[in-house]
Amino acid sequence: MKKLLLFSLIAGSLTLAACSNDDTVSADKEKETSQSESTQTNQDEKEDGSFYEEGFGQVKVIANGPKEAKKIDMDPMKLELNNIRVVDVELDKEMVEYINDGRETSRGIIIDITAENTTEDDITFDPNQAIIVTDTGEQIESDLGLMGEAGGDSLGKVTKEGSTWWFLDNIDKDVKRITVIISAPYDTQTGESIGEEKRIEFEIE
């Protein structure tokens, strides 16, 4: 239920953001949008990696994975995992009751994912639904509404990419190593798996 509510809130935020860009909005709305964009730009430029996630909260990077992207061959899919970050989040008020049992702060893992279908076949592949196992003893799934666009049906030679979030239950332990477990792609028409799942380990510093 929490994930469904989270999805609704994120979707609602995106809808409001889209409406604010419409040519028919009032001058006041346009001014507010301009101010918001200015703030977002300034926060994105912070040297410590801090940024504001619209409709979600203030995010601060506290640890990073490898500097180089990890490339994985899951024939016929090519997968790239990049920019792995452990983050602390100061949640916006409307998000507090839906994440971590009402706590105002949360800790999560973000991974930038790129998935490429190298064939003309229709392939379903969901790396954005990977399971993460941490060295602190947690097994976590990605959150609905914060999965990004890297997964789903790839109808021929297409490339999908996006950032995916996983939230930790324990925000007091430092994660030093994670294992990302990714299910094998499968034929969209027949549902038959192609290849095998992959388990990729990353050190976090």
Side-chain angles (χ1 to χ4, degrees):
M1 177 62 70
K2 288 183 180 180
K3 291 187 176 182
L4 290 175
L5 291 169
L6 175 58
F7 176 78
S8 298
L9 281 171
I10 296 297
S13 296
L14 292 175
T15 300
L16 289 173
C19 291
S20 68
N21 290 326
D22 192 277
D23 291 336
T24 62
V25 294
S26 67
D28 288 341
K29 287 294 183 180
E30 289 177 352
K31 183 177 180 180
E32 290 174 6
T33 301
S34 176
Q35 291 173 340
S36 176
E37 289 175 350
S38 176
T39 302
Q40 177 71 46
T41 300
N42 291 336
Q43 288 167 335
D44 285 346
E45 294 175 353
K46 286 185 178 180
E47 293 182 359
D48 64 359
S50 299
F51 61 93
Y52 179 73
E53 184 74 12
E54 185 70 29
F56 186 63
Q58 183 67 36
V59 183
K60 182 177 182 179
V61 177
I62 61 171
N64 292 278
K67 293 182 179 179
E68 294 185 2
K70 180 71 173 181
K71 298 181 179 181
I72 305 105
D73 188 359
M74 298 187 71
D75 189 43
M77 302 298 298
K78 290 188 180 297
L79 180 66
E80 185 172 297
L81 305 181
N82 189 30
N83 198 21
I84 299 172
R85 294 147 285 167
V86 179
V87 299
D88 280 346
V89 185
E90 294 182 13
L91 297 167
D92 287 347
K93 289 183 179 179
E94 61 269 23
M95 296 302 298
V96 169
E97 62 182 292
Y98 299 112
I99 296 180
N100 285 347
D101 298 322
R103 292 196 297 250
E104 294 182 356
T105 60
S106 185
R107 178 165 293 180
I109 297 169
I110 310 173
I111 303 179
D112 293 346
I113 303 175
T114 302
E116 177 188 359
N117 184 2
T118 63
T119 73
E120 297 291 351
D121 298 331
D122 294 347
I123 305 296
T124 301
F125 185 45
D126 296 303
N128 59 343
Q129 296 182 33
I131 293 173
I132 287 182
V133 176
T134 72
D135 63 324
T136 58
E138 289 196 45
Q139 178 177 311
I140 50 178
E141 298 178 2
S142 52
D143 277 77
L144 185 65
L146 292 171
M147 288 184 177
E149 302 296 327
D153 298 339
S154 293
L155 308 180
K157 288 187 176 182
V158 297
T159 299
K160 294 186 173 185
E161 58 186 5
S163 297
T164 300
W165 298 59
W166 292 258
F167 283 101
L168 298 161
D169 291 325
N170 192 323
I171 64 175
D172 299 318
K173 292 184 178 181
D174 293 331
V175 175
K176 298 297 183 182
R177 187 176 64 257
I178 64 172
T179 301
V180 182
I181 304 171
I182 301 172
S183 297
Y186 59 90
D187 185 288
T188 304
Q189 303 300 323
T190 67
E192 294 183 2
S193 293
I194 306 171
E196 300 177 350
E197 75 169 23
K198 296 284 187 179
R199 300 192 175 203
I200 308 104
E201 292 190 0
F202 296 95
E203 299 293 326
I204 305 295
E205 298 180 356

